Amino acid sequence: NQEVALGHLAGLGYRVDVAVNGEEAVKAISRKKYDVVLMDCQMPVMDGFQATAEIRRQEGKTKHTPIIAMTAYAMRSDRDKCLASGMDAYLAKPVKKADLKDILHDLFENKSFGISTAVTDEFEAKETIDIPPVDLVFLMDAASNSYEKLEQYVELYKRHTAERLDELNEAIERRSAGDVFALAHKCLGSSRTLGMTAIVPALRELERIGNSGELRGAAQQLKIAKDGFKKIQMFLEHHLLQNVA
């Protein structure tokens, strides 16, 4: 997710500093003036809501750095929570380059700058339809139509997803619902960002199960997720990487 966001921003001509958690974001903003902050709501150590509240506390009434929320959730209550914490605008994940371009253009051109109502999760309506394991159009858009970036993102995705699935298995065995939620959420985010459709429904269900605190059915959904990941790997090998070569 971070690599894709950096690629989009670089392609749009912006210079970017990266903070890996909310605490680092607060420290960075206290040291340096930024034109805008893209704030992930789900982060370790200090989440985006806490980080934004602390930034607003430190800024007081004399300063206001624009903060755009980036979150996988798009319910009105989530948008309200973003505004209540002090954020100025909202982008639902997976964030497309065009959406990012529009909201930043509005900000820097001093036009209307507010909550985005566009929900970009295109997999909701597709889950019951027989579609390929990977949405190549979505994947190429994430890679800014660069085959070099595409290869980089695919390798990162395969390695990280394999690790997350192993960690999910361990979390289920430990009966740690919190870890199941966090790991499924992380894996779901990168899968949606890159158009890896085959694994999305099972990961979403694992996220829901983890959030509920009851792990009934988690092992079965993990098996489905692993099967989806295998389909993704086979598809990428046979239908994508050969074309790149």
Side-chain angles (χ1 to χ4, degrees):
N1 283 336
Q2 190 179 91
E3 289 294 331
V4 171
L6 288 173
H8 285 339
L9 290 164
L12 293 170
Y14 295 102
R15 289 179 297 170
V16 186
D17 289 338
V18 176
V20 298
N21 57 56
E23 186 175 78
E24 284 195 9
V26 172
K27 290 179 181 178
I29 293 166
S30 69
R31 294 191 301 263
K32 181 177 178 181
K33 182 183 183 300
Y34 289 93
D35 295 312
V36 64
V37 176
L38 299 173
M39 185 71 77
D40 192 337
C41 292
Q42 300 289 330
M43 290 186 292
V45 183
M46 179 185 288
D47 66 24
F49 303 109
Q50 296 169 319
T52 298
E54 178 59 21
I55 290 166
R56 295 300 182 225
R57 187 192 69 78
Q58 291 184 10
E59 288 184 332
K61 297 181 179 180
T62 61
K63 183 181 177 183
H64 187 92
T65 303
I67 298 177
I68 302 173
M70 299 177 69
T71 177
Y73 303 111
M75 302 297 291
R76 180 170 297 278
S77 60
D78 299 307
R79 296 197 291 266
D80 291 343
K81 187 177 180 181
C82 290
L83 289 176
S85 70
M87 299 180 192
D88 301 284
Y90 176 105
L91 279 173
K93 294 179 182 177
V95 177
K96 290 184 176 180
K97 186 176 182 179
D99 297 333
L100 195 55
K101 179 181 179 181
D102 288 345
I103 201 167
L104 291 174
H105 180 267
D106 288 347
L107 169 63
F108 294 122
E109 291 296 321
N110 296 316
K111 298 180 181 179
S112 59
F113 179 55
I115 294 293
S116 170
T117 56
V119 179
T120 56
D121 187 352
E122 300 181 1
F123 306 135
E124 307 294 336
K126 294 181 178 180
E127 290 178 8
T128 59
I129 303 174
D130 186 17
I131 58 173
V134 179
D135 186 331
L136 290 178
V137 174
F138 211 94
L139 177 56
M140 287 303 298
D141 179 75
S144 300
N145 293 307
S146 163
Y147 281 107
E148 183 178 354
K149 285 184 179 179
L150 184 145
E151 287 185 290
Q152 175 191 354
Y153 293 167
V154 164
E155 288 307 311
L156 278 172
Y157 175 79
K158 289 194 298 183
R159 185 172 73 252
H160 289 174
T161 301
E163 292 172 356
R164 296 297 87 77
L165 292 176
D166 286 343
E167 290 169 356
L168 270 166
N169 186 66
E170 294 173 2
I172 292 170
E173 290 179 349
R174 295 195 313 271
R175 307 300 295 172
S176 175
D179 286 346
V180 169
F181 170 80
L183 290 164
H185 178 82
K186 184 180 292 186
C187 196
L188 177 61
S190 59
S191 297
R192 292 166 70 234
T193 293
L194 294 176
M196 306 300 185
T197 57
I199 200 173
V200 165
L203 289 173
R204 186 179 289 111
E205 184 61 15
L206 279 167
E207 184 185 47
R208 184 197 66 77
I209 290 171
N211 192 47
S212 74
E214 296 284 341
L215 293 182
R216 188 179 299 110
Q220 180 182 4
Q221 290 300 321
L222 178 59
K223 182 180 182 303
I224 295 172
K226 288 181 176 179
D227 289 342
F229 184 47
K230 288 178 182 177
K231 291 178 182 178
I232 288 169
Q233 290 175 297
M234 291 176 62
F235 183 92
L236 291 171
E237 180 178 351
H238 294 117
H239 297 275
L240 181 62
L241 298 184
Q242 286 183 355
N243 293 333
V244 173

